């Protein structure tokens, strides 16, 4: 890190001569050479070994997977996330049918089926993410799917409300890995210049999947009942478990022990030396465990997670994601009662079609945001003599921030004064709020992984689990908040909060690099 200035001075000369560069010595803090002459440098540096394993840790470099396999991984984990989130958060649209399953005196406790899942998703993150370091990503991901299938069957067959609540809590803990773990795995199989689009495709598939299932739910539940709603979700998770066993390999790779990490590899000269190392086989990928469990790493994980609260950028991302998620939670919790009431008087079946707005926003907005993010970092890196700084990702927050603020204002007015607004004043801001959250989430993920690659797991845990706890608090506060300030007052407050946190992105852009370097020196010098 101390040599960065010298490196940057040399980079100007070497780029002008068209020669290759050695990655900067502070690559662990995110400042990396992304462009070499006219070519994109592959960051992180992939191994030439198709299997790329080591004597003590038999890691297989996920960056060397063929593109079709990477696409399959994104599709599988995105569908897993989609149905996990649907099972935990999708009950709001069918709560009337759920209440009908139990005696009237249990009506208050039925709310626990809707509120507690977000809390237990956060708890699931706290428990599972450290295990990803101790035993690997693949066994934790497969175990999560197994628990989802088992708890889904339990939910469908539960005979009492207490049993149903307990089953949903276990299901939600397994679904929690749809946040930090899935994001981590998607990032690990892609290079820096691909991470923006990969994260957005992951989010897009989730959005389309959830939207389609929300529409289907309004027909499935009245016809087959709530138990078969769980049944369909469980069957899909069972299929995903089988497919994931064959197609989702271990994505963990310890580049700190890779002797080739200082090579400069571009998209034009990366080759695999199968003759020297041997070809990667399905037998290699199907292994569940690739190394002896390192249980001491779990305590280090929690230590790093605790230290991250001292890093202003991480705290900002946590609060920003919490605020944007709060907007979506508020919209998703209130849109149905508003549209079912006068003057809109929607039929229950029509509520599912409101989710089509989510699908449209996801299919159009998020891919543009993802490819735009990768285009911006290449442009900014070219302007910076080929050197990439993670702060370039923050430009992609501008659109989601504007959308979040505008959606708050319109939704609040339409919900409070429905006689003056069309139903689209509810549906469109609802979809826009979801787009804003997913956009902020993808930017946060890519920034964290690019800035602190060695500590990305614990830091993603703080962002993902933290916003889950924030969401849990907001889910309890929504009804009394509306009663106190009205929809327009609550949404006005949300708009101000989102605007303030969005503006904090300006100092984070200008001082983000200093905070990255300071945090590495102060807390994690072993990563430098």
């Amino acid at each position: 890190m101390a040599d960065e200035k010298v490196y940057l001075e040399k980079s100007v000369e070497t780029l002008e001569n068209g020669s290759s560069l050695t990655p900067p010595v502070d690559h662990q803090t995110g400042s990396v050479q992304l462009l070499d002459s006219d070519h994109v440098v592959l960051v992180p540096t992939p191994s030439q070994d198709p299997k790329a394993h080591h004597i003590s840790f038999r890691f297989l470099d996920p960056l060397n997977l063929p593109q079709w396999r990477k696409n399959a991984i994104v599709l599988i984990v995105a569908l897993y996330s989609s149905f996990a989130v649907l099972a935990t958060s999708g009950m709001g649209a069918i709560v009337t049918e759920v209440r009908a399953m139990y005696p009237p005196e249990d009506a208050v406790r039925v709310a626990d089926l809707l509120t507690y899942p977000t809390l237990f998703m956060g708890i699931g993150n706290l428990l599972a993410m450290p295990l990803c370091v101790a035993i690997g990503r693949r066994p934790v991901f497969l175990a999560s799917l197994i628990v989802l299938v088992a708890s889904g069957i339990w939910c469908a067959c539960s005979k009492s409300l207490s049993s149903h609540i307990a089953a949903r809590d276990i299901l939600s803990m397994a679904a929690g890995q749809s946040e930090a773990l899935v994001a981590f795995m998607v990032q690990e199989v892609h290079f820096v210049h691909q991470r923006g689009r990969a994260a957005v495709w992951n989010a897009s598939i989730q959005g389309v999947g959830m939207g389609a299932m929300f529409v289907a739910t309004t027909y499935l539940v009245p016809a087959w009942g709530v138990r078969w709603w769980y049944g369909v979700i469980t069957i899909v998770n069972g299929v995903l478990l089988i497919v994931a066993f064959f197609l989702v390999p271990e994505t963990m790779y310890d580049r700190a022990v890779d002797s080739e990490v200082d090579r400069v590899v571009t998209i034009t000269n990366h080759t695999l030396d199968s003759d020297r190392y041997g070809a990667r086989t399905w037998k290699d990928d199907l292994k569940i465990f690739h190394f002896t469990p390192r249980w001491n790493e779990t305590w280090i994980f929690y230590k790093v997670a605790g230290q991250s609260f001292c890093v202003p950028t991480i705290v900002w991302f946590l609060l920003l994601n919490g605020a944007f998620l709060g907007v979506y939670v508020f919209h998703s919790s209130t849109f149905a009662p508003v549209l079912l009431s006068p003057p809109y008087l929607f039929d229950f079946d029509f509520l599912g079609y409101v989710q089509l707005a989510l699908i449209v926003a996801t299919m159009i907005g998020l891919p543009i945001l993802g490819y735009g993010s990768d285009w911006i970092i290449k442009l900014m890196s070219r302007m910076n003599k080929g050197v990439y700084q993670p702060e370039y990702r923050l430009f992609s927050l501008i659109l989601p921030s504007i959308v979040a603020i505008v959606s708050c204002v319109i939704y609040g007015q339409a919900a409070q004064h429905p006689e003056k607004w069309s139903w689209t004043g509810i549906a469109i801001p609802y979809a826009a709020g979801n787009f804003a959250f997913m956009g902020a989430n993808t930017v946060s993920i890519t920034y964290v992984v690019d800035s602190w690659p060695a500590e990305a797991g614990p830091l993603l845990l703080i962002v993902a689990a933290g916003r889950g706890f924030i969401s849990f608090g907001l889910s309890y506060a929504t009804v009394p908040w509306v009663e106190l300030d009205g929809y327009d007052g609550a949404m006005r407050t949300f708009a101000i909060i989102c605007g303030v946190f969005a503006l904090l992105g300006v100092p984070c852009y200008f001082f983000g690099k200093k905070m990255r370097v300071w945090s590495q020196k102060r807390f994690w010098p072993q990563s430098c």
Side-chain angles (χ1 to χ4, degrees):
M1 290 181 288
D3 298 331
E4 182 184 3
K5 182 177 180 181
V6 175
Y7 168 80
L8 292 177
E9 291 174 350
K10 290 182 178 180
S11 69
V12 176
E13 178 182 354
T14 52
L15 280 170
E16 289 175 348
N17 295 333
S19 58
S20 296
L21 296 171
T22 301
V25 295
D26 72 333
H27 65 279
Q28 286 296 336
T29 62
S31 298
V32 295
Q33 188 69 30
L34 188 63
L35 300 176
D36 181 7
S37 185
D38 292 327
H39 303 301
V40 175
V41 177
L42 299 182
V43 180
T45 305
S47 172
Q48 288 183 301
D49 183 350
K51 291 183 289 187
H53 58 257
H54 308 283
I55 295 176
S56 55
F57 301 101
R58 300 186 66 83
F59 297 109
L60 292 92
D61 193 345
L63 295 176
N64 286 331
L65 289 169
Q67 190 59 48
W68 74 266
R69 189 79 176 276
K70 295 181 180 182
N71 295 340
I73 292 172
V74 172
L75 176 62
I76 292 168
V77 299
L79 289 175
Y80 155 79
S81 298
S82 180
F83 282 88
V85 172
L86 175 70
T88 55
S89 305
M91 186 169 278
I94 58 172
V95 65
T96 54
E97 282 75 9
V98 176
R99 287 198 181 102
M101 296 170 58
Y102 302 103
E105 57 268 23
D106 287 336
V108 175
R109 292 185 62 213
V110 169
D112 292 345
L113 294 170
L114 281 73
T115 55
Y116 275 97
T118 54
L119 172 64
F120 278 89
M121 287 180 75
I123 294 174
N125 271 302
L126 289 174
L127 297 176
M129 283 302 292
L131 289 177
C132 296
V133 178
I135 63 176
R137 310 343 174 198
R138 176 172 162 84
V140 173
F141 180 67
L142 294 178
S144 297
L145 277 166
I146 292 173
V147 174
L148 276 179
V149 172
S151 58
I153 295 173
W154 182 5
C155 286
C157 299
S158 60
K159 300 299 183 182
S160 68
L161 180 57
S162 296
S163 177
H164 191 178
I165 292 173
R168 278 185 63 79
D169 291 344
I170 299 298
L171 181 145
S172 300
M173 291 179 66
Q177 283 60 261
S178 64
E179 297 178 326
L181 175 57
V182 163
F184 206 10
M185 293 171 67
V186 170
Q187 298 292 298
E188 286 181 318
V189 300
H190 290 90
F191 297 103
V192 165
H193 70 282
Q194 302 169 328
R195 285 175 176 171
R197 73 192 72 170
V200 165
W201 273 112
N202 176 47
S204 298
I205 295 170
Q206 288 184 40
V208 172
M210 283 190 294
M213 278 303 298
F214 272 129
V215 175
T217 292
T218 59
Y219 290 95
L220 189 154
V221 172
W224 293 358
V226 175
R227 299 190 187 281
W228 264 110
W229 179 71
Y230 282 119
V232 171
I233 293 173
T234 301
I235 291 171
V236 173
N237 284 329
V239 173
L240 288 175
L241 172 61
I242 297 172
V243 176
F245 176 79
F246 291 101
L247 293 181
V248 180
E250 177 60 64
T251 63
M252 184 177 180
Y253 186 80
D254 193 350
R255 299 188 187 280
V257 297
D258 193 335
S259 61
E260 300 178 311
V261 74
D262 290 329
R263 292 185 301 115
V264 175
V265 181
T266 70
I267 57 177
T268 59
N269 64 14
H270 176 44
T271 58
L272 297 177
D273 194 347
S274 300
D275 293 336
R276 177 182 176 185
Y277 297 105
R280 181 170 182 158
T281 66
W282 282 100
K283 182 180 179 180
D284 297 317
D285 285 343
L286 292 180
K287 288 186 61 176
I288 302 297
F289 299 97
H290 288 260
F291 54 91
T292 303
R294 303 176 294 177
W295 300 115
N296 63 306
E297 294 291 332
T298 59
W299 305 113
I300 297 175
F301 189 101
Y302 285 124
K303 178 183 176 182
V304 173
Q307 291 171 328
S308 69
F309 283 105
C310 298
V311 182
T313 312
I314 298 300
V315 176
W316 172 63
F317 273 125
L318 168 60
L319 296 176
L320 180 77
N321 272 263
F324 281 35
L325 176 59
V327 172
Y328 175 65
V329 168
F330 189 99
H331 290 174
S332 61
S333 301
T334 59
F335 86 94
V338 171
L339 292 178
L340 289 172
S341 302
Y344 300 124
L345 294 175
F346 267 46
D347 289 335
F348 178 79
D349 292 348
F350 289 169
L351 290 180
Y353 290 104
V354 176
Q355 309 296 333
L356 293 177
L358 292 178
I359 298 177
V360 173
T362 298
M363 294 181 66
I364 297 177
L366 288 180
I368 293 175
L369 191 63
Y371 284 92
S373 173
D374 288 340
W375 178 81
I376 288 173
I377 69 167
K378 291 177 185 178
L379 175 64
M380 297 295 293
S381 299
R382 188 171 292 108
M383 295 170 62
N384 193 31
K385 308 300 182 182
V387 178
Y388 162 72
Q389 305 288 356
E391 285 69 37
Y392 300 157
R393 296 280 186 190
L394 300 184
F395 284 102
S396 299
L397 277 175
I398 296 175
L399 179 59
S401 299
I402 294 174
V403 169
I405 295 170
V406 173
S407 69
C408 285
V409 175
I410 295 177
Y411 188 94
Q413 292 299 314
Q416 188 68 29
H417 308 286
E419 70 281 356
K420 299 180 181 179
W421 290 79
S422 164
W423 64 270
T424 56
I426 299 297
I428 294 178
Y430 171 41
N434 180 64
F435 162 78
F437 165 64
M438 286 192 169
N441 183 44
T442 54
V443 172
S444 303
I445 291 168
T446 51
Y447 182 93
V448 168
V449 175
D450 291 353
S451 299
W452 297 276
E455 294 79 27
L459 304 190
L460 286 177
L461 169 66
I462 294 302
V463 175
R467 72 178 183 228
F469 293 127
I470 293 173
S471 174
F472 173 68
L474 290 171
S475 65
Y476 267 103
T478 297
V479 173
W481 196 358
V482 170
E483 293 177 349
L484 179 65
D485 293 336
Y487 288 105
D488 53 347
M491 283 284 91
R492 184 167 53 248
T493 302
F494 260 125
I496 294 172
I497 293 173
C498 291
V500 170
F501 285 138
L503 287 175
L504 288 177
V506 176
C508 282
Y509 175 81
F510 288 104
F511 299 103
K513 180 179 176 181
K514 291 184 178 180
M515 286 188 280
R516 285 188 282 116
V517 174
W518 170 79
S519 63
Q520 287 285 7
K521 287 182 177 180
R522 177 65 179 83
F523 300 115
W524 312 301
Q526 71 278 1
S527 299
C528 300

